[in-house]
Amino acid sequence: MSLFDDDRPKKKIAHEIGSDLSLLSVDELTVRIDLLKQEITRLEAERQKKDASRSAAENLFR
């Protein structure tokens, strides 16, 4: 092990839709599922904010 192993940037975990899952371990699949659940939550929150803005604008022009 090199002294500089900890200095290397960590590989960011990402998931590509439709990618081959057969080479992933159970732990890696769990991490990806958690990552995707967090992303769904983030997307839903943004959708709610945009929907509220649109509703406010529609009410303003009624």
Side-chain angles (χ1 to χ4, degrees):
M1 186 183 325
S2 170
L3 292 173
F4 302 105
D5 284 345
D6 293 336
D7 293 341
R8 284 186 273 156
K10 302 278 188 225
K11 183 178 179 185
K12 186 174 180 180
I13 299 172
H15 179 75
E16 183 180 331
I17 303 298
S19 63
D20 181 16
L21 304 176
S22 64
L23 299 176
L24 298 176
S25 69
V26 171
D27 289 339
E28 290 170 322
L29 289 168
T30 300
V31 168
R32 289 191 184 202
I33 290 168
D34 291 341
L35 179 70
L36 291 169
K37 285 180 180 178
Q38 291 172 12
E39 184 65 7
I40 288 169
T41 300
R42 189 177 78 90
L43 289 165
E44 288 175 338
E46 186 65 25
R47 180 177 61 185
Q48 287 175 351
K49 285 182 1 186
K50 289 181 183 264
D51 191 39
S53 291
R54 184 180 62 204
S55 293
E58 287 174 353
N59 288 334
L60 181 66
F61 293 107
R62 281 187 183 178

